[in-house]
Amino acid sequence: MDAPIHRMHYILDRQRLAQIRGGAPDAALRIDRLDRAIRLLVEHAPEIAWTLREDFGHRSFEATLVTDVAASIDQLKYAKRQVHRWMRRERRRVSPAALALLGARAWVDYQPKGVVGLISTWNFPFNVTFAPLAGMLAAGNRVMIKPSEFAPRSSELLHRIVAEAFDESEIAVITGGPDVGCAFSALPFDHMLFTGGASTARHVMRAASEHLVPVTLELGGKSPAIIGREANLDLAATRIIFGKTLNAGQVCVAPDYALVPKDRVGAFVDALARATKRMFPSLQDNDDYTSIINDHHHARLLELLDDARDKGATLRWLHADHKALDGRRIAPVVILDADDGMAVMQDEIFGPLLPVLPYDGIEDAIARVNAQGRPLALYYFGENREEQERVLSRIVAGGVTINDTLMHLAMCDLPFGGIGPSGMGAYHGFDGFRTFSHARGAYRQACLDVGRLLRPPYGAVVRALLHMRIRS
């Protein structure tokens, strides 16, 4: 273990020294780094998809190209197009305004923070690396990456391809198990981004606090889908099933449970079954349907189902093939009559299990959501604008998609991040650039020595100025 720790410190020191010597990189160098990252994804796209399939046991080839490759390229290209504008000096107002007439100026410069640590996760190992990398590189930083040991083949591939395009003084990938991850999170970075579970995040924050490293956390949580009384059930069901079966529900912003008007629950569940059959005519040997990442998580999901059934819930499987599945695949299943005493309603599910809860009025649905920790995502389906605004104004969530799922995450210029137990801070687009930059305020004094009014000895002029300023 001493050798990996020594190696990490060596790379960190090398990156920090290179950043100090080189200073803030100009736009051309930042764009070059973004271009190199884009080329890696383009040139290795098939290999990335096949490698992730091996890590999962089975994973949709096309889904990987959409989520891990194309979506990451979108973020990198967007940053590349905007980097000149983001880097511009931002003028600010001078106060009192009279100082500006005398030549005083105020502005903000966005400086690179320096060396950023990036701890990624296993469910989308390339997306949760390259999407935030867009903001980190656009901001002019150097980066050290610790991928998840739960996707070892993908981690090794990431290590190899990054080394093809970047010197380790620019970007370095550190592979290894939990002990390496613990040591990595304790390094004195200038900023750190962690994507993963809340329990691990607590350890990461404690380790980072030793060096007062600012941390951005993307954690997930129980993201609700609220079905309004006027919602189109077939449309809502189709889009919820997509969000719940993409990557077999192993998505931080997957709809975790659905709240449905009491008299529409049966019709909604029927619509879910129809939508599932349309997307997956069969499940066994279906290339579009992904496996659960490993035996531990597969067993955990089955235990959630057993616990719910034993405590009185009804399971409604949404596909006839559910008994025939093997290879760690679990068919989509609705859980009816769920309550807070069931494990499935206590923690993020991270799988194709969907509790469907009835509600009497929209206030009941809002109260139900607010009784949980603040979610990473909120979904509302319906055309009643008054009801929609009531939901949005009363529920605090990391991000929102209306009449669909997941799509706010795909918007390059929307901030992505959680709040409270679902995360801290945000990235994507300009918000990512700002997260990984230091906004340095600067003031240039006027040519006239107006500051002498603030210096002793004080007299009648100062007293008159204070009289004018200290009033309501």
Side-chain angles (χ1 to χ4, degrees):
M1 183 59 190
D2 289 342
I5 292 177
H6 177 77
R7 179 72 178 159
M8 284 188 282
H9 280 278
Y10 168 77
I11 293 172
L12 176 61
D13 290 343
R14 188 177 171 203
Q15 288 196 358
R16 180 159 289 138
L17 182 60
Q19 188 78 353
I20 292 170
R21 286 176 174 172
D26 60 16
L29 180 52
R30 300 182 195 202
I31 288 171
D32 173 65
R33 289 172 177 169
L34 291 165
D35 274 333
R36 279 184 271 163
I38 292 166
R39 283 198 300 272
L40 285 180
L41 292 169
V42 171
E43 293 171 2
H44 293 280
E47 189 177 6
I48 288 170
W50 285 116
T51 302
L52 271 168
R53 176 170 286 193
E54 291 176 359
D55 272 332
F56 275 73
H58 179 81
R59 194 182 200 232
S60 169
F61 191 89
E62 288 76 14
T64 292
L65 294 181
V66 169
T67 58
D68 275 270
V69 179
S72 301
I73 291 172
D74 287 345
Q75 290 289 342
L76 291 161
K77 286 184 174 179
Y78 184 77
K80 175 185 171 182
R81 290 194 300 270
Q82 302 297 327
V83 69
H84 281 283
R85 182 169 65 86
W86 292 346
M87 290 175 64
R88 289 176 192 160
R89 177 166 288 178
E90 191 176 287
R91 301 291 181 185
R92 295 293 179 93
R93 293 182 182 277
V94 172
S95 56
L99 289 174
L101 299 176
L102 299 173
R105 295 291 182 266
W107 68 87
V108 172
D109 289 321
Y110 289 99
Q111 294 184 296
K113 285 192 170 180
V115 180
V116 178
L118 193 168
I119 304 176
S120 62
T121 189
W122 53 264
N123 58 332
F124 296 101
F126 291 87
N127 181 284
V128 296
T129 297
F130 283 91
L133 201 58
M136 294 172 184
L137 296 180
N141 297 292
R142 296 164 192 267
V143 185
M144 292 176 64
I145 301 165
K146 169 60 178 74
S148 172
E149 63 273 15
F150 285 174
R153 298 172 183 85
S154 299
S155 295
E156 289 299 330
L157 176 60
L158 181 66
H159 180 274
R160 175 167 59 81
I161 66 175
V162 166
E164 290 177 9
F166 294 93
D167 185 83
E168 69 178 12
S169 66
E170 294 177 298
I171 303 178
V173 177
I174 310 295
T175 59
D179 51 350
V180 174
C182 288
F184 186 92
S185 63
L187 292 173
F189 294 114
D190 298 298
H191 194 105
M192 183 159 53
L193 167 66
F194 169 79
T195 302
S199 59
T200 305
R202 293 184 178 93
H203 296 293
V204 169
M205 284 198 73
R206 277 194 289 269
S209 69
E210 183 66 26
H211 297 288
L212 300 179
V213 176
V215 178
T216 298
L217 304 176
E218 193 277 280
L219 305 181
K222 298 192 74 63
S223 299
I226 298 177
I227 312 301
R229 185 158 294 281
E230 298 177 14
N232 180 320
L233 291 187
D234 281 314
L235 185 63
T238 297
R239 293 173 177 178
I240 287 173
I241 280 296
F242 169 70
K244 197 61 175 171
T245 58
L246 179 68
N247 208 34
Q250 298 164 109
V251 185
C252 61
V253 291
D256 202 81
Y257 62 100
L259 290 159
V260 184
K262 184 182 295 184
D263 59 350
R264 306 191 80 191
V265 168
F268 177 67
V269 175
D270 290 341
L272 290 172
R274 290 193 297 270
T276 302
K277 190 67 175 177
R278 282 195 302 272
M279 277 190 276
F280 306 103
S282 66
L283 287 180
Q284 183 66 12
D285 300 323
N286 188 326
D287 283 344
D288 293 335
Y289 200 72
T290 295
S291 298
I292 305 303
I293 182 66
N294 56 34
D295 291 339
H296 169 74
H297 282 284
H298 183 258
R300 178 185 61 81
L301 291 169
L302 295 182
E303 287 170 5
L304 291 179
L305 291 176
D306 289 341
D307 176 79
R309 184 170 44 228
D310 292 346
K311 292 177 179 175
T314 301
L315 306 186
R316 167 80 183 272
W317 295 94
L318 298 179
H319 202 287
D321 288 354
H322 71 92
K323 292 182 179 179
L325 291 185
D326 54 21
R328 296 199 308 269
R329 298 194 201 192
I330 297 177
V333 55
V334 164
I335 302 171
L336 299 169
D337 306 313
D339 61 46
D340 290 342
M342 299 174 185
V344 75
M345 291 307 301
Q346 294 168 8
D347 295 310
E348 184 178 11
I349 293 171
F350 230 63
L353 287 55
L354 183 68
V356 173
L357 310 178
Y359 70 83
D360 292 314
I362 196 63
E363 290 297 328
D364 298 324
I366 292 170
R368 183 70 181 77
V369 175
N370 285 334
Q372 300 268 0
R374 289 174 170 174
L376 181 58
L378 167 66
Y379 303 112
Y380 171 81
F381 291 83
E383 301 304 327
N384 186 318
R385 291 299 179 88
E386 180 182 351
E387 183 178 80
Q388 171 188 307
E389 289 306 315
R390 194 186 314 178
V391 168
L392 296 187
S393 66
R394 297 278 301 283
I395 297 174
V396 178
V400 177
T401 292
I402 298 166
N403 288 326
D404 209 338
T405 59
L406 314 185
M407 293 306 297
H408 64 286
L409 178 57
M411 301 296 108
C412 290
D413 200 32
L414 283 181
F416 172 64
I419 179 171
S422 63
M424 178 188 304
Y427 62 94
H428 281 188
F430 183 51
D431 296 274
F433 174 84
R434 287 200 297 187
T435 291
F436 304 117
S437 298
H438 168 58
R440 183 186 64 186
Y443 174 74
R444 187 181 68 205
Q445 185 58 281
C447 296
L448 296 176
D449 187 17
V450 293
R452 64 184 174 83
L453 297 175
L454 304 177
R455 298 191 292 265
Y458 301 120
V461 174
V462 171
R463 287 192 289 273
L465 289 172
L466 289 172
H467 179 74
M468 292 175 59
R469 294 181 65 184
I470 302 175
R471 58 185 180 179
S472 59

